[in-house]
Amino acid sequence: MSFWRNVESELQYKNMTRKELAERAGFAVSGISLGLAHNSVPNADVAVRIAEVLGVSAEYLVTGKERNILCKENADIIRHITADLRVLDRYDLESLSALVKRMSEKPKA
């Protein structure tokens, strides 16, 4: 998958428009269409800003892979869960952490 196809996938997941992304990351919205048509990658500074807005790594947008994912077959869902966690407040994160810890400690059937 190309850089811009990964961007498109993230836009769809986050229910964000191309225009919103371009405004927040500070580049022309036409850059997405041009990038898709030419299968190109933007300058590093633009790629990093896009990644920051989307809540993913620039490496993911370029390669389609995240580094240091322990369970590769679950990489996509782990990445999306991580993105969703960014909106939780401290109390909710601590509650979720306790739940995950409890779930990971239960005996396997």
Side-chain angles (χ1 to χ4, degrees):
M1 201 179 271
S2 74
F3 178 91
W4 292 110
R5 295 227 183 275
N6 290 330
V7 168
E8 290 276 279
S9 175
E10 288 303 311
L11 287 173
Q12 184 177 13
Y13 174 74
K14 296 191 180 326
N15 197 27
M16 184 184 294
T17 66
R18 288 178 174 187
K19 183 178 179 182
E20 286 176 281
L21 174 64
E23 288 173 355
R24 291 176 59 191
F27 70 97
V29 71
S30 60
I32 297 175
S33 297
L34 289 171
L36 282 165
H38 293 44
N39 197 27
S40 62
V41 178
N43 292 334
D45 61 323
V46 175
V48 168
R49 290 196 314 263
I50 291 169
E52 287 174 352
V53 170
L54 294 175
V56 298
S57 70
E59 179 178 3
Y60 167 74
L61 293 177
V62 172
T63 67
K65 300 175 186 172
E66 285 286 356
R67 187 179 287 183
N68 297 327
I69 299 292
L70 296 177
C71 188
K72 291 186 191 284
E73 63 270 13
N74 293 329
D76 192 49
I77 195 163
I78 290 169
R79 183 175 45 78
H80 288 291
I81 289 170
T82 302
D84 292 340
L85 293 175
R86 291 187 176 107
V87 300
L88 299 180
D89 63 22
R90 178 115 183 138
Y91 177 81
D92 289 339
L93 285 171
E94 288 173 355
S95 299
L96 186 58
S97 176
L99 177 63
V100 170
K101 182 176 182 179
R102 183 164 183 237
M103 291 172 69
S104 67
E105 291 173 348
K106 75 178 182 182
K108 303 291 183 211

